[in-house]
Amino acid sequence: MSDTILNVPRRDFLAGLAAAGAGVFAPVAAFASTLDDSRFRVKPDEKWLDSLTGKYKQVFDMPNPTHGLGVVHIRNYLKAWKDNYNLEHPQVNAVGTLYYMTIPLGFTDPMWAKYKLGEAIKETDATTNAFAVRNIYQKADPGASTLSIKGIANWPADTSMEALQKKGTLFIMCNNALNFWAMNVASATNQTMEAVRAEFLAHLVPGVVVVPAMVMAVDQAQAKGCSYMRMA
């Protein structure tokens, strides 16, 4: 088997699954076959696009978590419009993309604990100084002024996905990337892809929208007038 999967170094992709029995990854050909399998598709739903009615709107392209840099950029974008022009949702719209290594950000705590997703994407819980076994992006701890993401700074509590959603931010998840994760987690844990995919979908962070393909969704958002900002 190749040392890369869809050009992703094996040592980097789903590394945290080693503790859960990883080491076997689906060949590219096997993944490619799912793209033609109707069981693993989602029906296009453009309601999220219809909600992009603001004069100012931007897509934040987040292929990697980078210890919170993506979500803090969304937070700062919304804050800048509010502080400087007194504009907020629905006049201002933000869209965060979940694909590649940010797919786990769209799952609730049980998936992080079961599949060691914090280790898979190299994200540390600042309260334990260990790889996160809960979604440290979803919301701040009760009463906390900062998130539990360990990175270059202590991000304010209103950087959480939950807080950003309350300010009108949309988070969209790529179905192709979801399927890729489901296939590899299934292979690593001796389950079926159907079972893991169904489990992931049952544990989506509330409000996250699964789109058929991120490459198409970004184009659709730009056709709605969104500007584009690439995150690291």
Side-chain angles (χ1 to χ4, degrees):
M1 186 180 297
S2 170
D3 285 333
T4 62
I5 304 172
L6 296 186
N7 297 319
V8 180
R10 186 185 306 180
R11 65 181 179 277
D12 294 335
F13 191 79
L14 295 184
L17 286 175
V24 179
F25 291 95
V28 173
F31 171 66
S33 70
T34 69
L35 300 177
D36 297 321
D37 193 326
S38 61
R39 294 176 300 164
F40 306 128
R41 297 177 189 165
V42 294
K43 184 178 180 180
D45 185 348
E46 297 188 357
K47 290 180 181 178
W48 71 276
L49 288 167
D50 294 337
S51 71
L52 301 177
T53 59
K55 181 178 180 180
Y56 303 101
K57 38 190 175 273
Q58 187 155 287
V59 171
F60 293 82
D61 187 0
M62 306 191 305
N64 295 293
T66 53
H67 315 304
L69 285 179
V71 286
V72 81
H73 272 80
I74 297 176
R75 184 252 187 193
N76 290 345
Y77 169 78
L78 297 175
K79 189 174 187 301
W81 279 112
K82 176 62 175 176
D83 291 350
N84 294 284
Y85 290 92
N86 198 32
L87 291 177
E88 55 191 340
H89 186 266
Q91 293 90 0
V92 177
N93 304 139
V95 180
T97 65
L98 304 179
Y99 70 108
Y100 186 55
M101 299 302 278
T102 53
I103 285 290
L105 274 59
F107 302 141
T108 53
D109 292 352
M111 296 296 91
W112 283 61
K114 183 174 183 179
Y115 295 118
K116 297 179 171 54
L117 298 180
E119 186 173 355
I121 61 174
K122 305 304 181 187
E123 289 291 313
T124 298
D125 189 329
T127 62
T128 64
N129 282 320
F131 287 126
V133 292
R134 58 177 179 145
N135 189 341
I136 52 178
Y137 282 80
Q138 184 180 357
K139 55 188 176 182
D141 293 334
S145 61
T146 61
L147 294 185
S148 292
I149 300 170
K150 187 172 182 178
I152 64 172
N154 294 322
W155 305 129
D158 63 355
T159 306
S160 74
M161 291 173 64
E162 182 178 77
L164 295 175
Q165 287 173 318
K166 288 179 179 178
K167 295 178 181 178
T169 300
L170 290 169
F171 288 97
I172 57 176
M173 176 183 288
C174 177
N175 185 61
N176 289 339
L178 168 66
N179 288 340
F180 189 50
W181 276 77
M183 172 172 279
N184 282 287
V185 169
S187 176
T189 57
N190 296 314
Q191 300 181 73
T192 66
M193 177 179 171
E194 292 91 335
V196 174
R197 185 176 187 276
E199 190 177 27
F200 280 165
L201 289 172
H203 289 88
L204 284 178
V205 167
V208 168
V209 176
V210 180
V211 298
M214 194 60 70
V215 289
M216 183 174 67
V218 171
D219 190 35
Q220 289 176 302
Q222 288 184 296
K224 282 286 188 177
C226 288
S227 58
Y228 173 87
M229 185 172 187
R230 168 79 174 190
M231 300 289 100

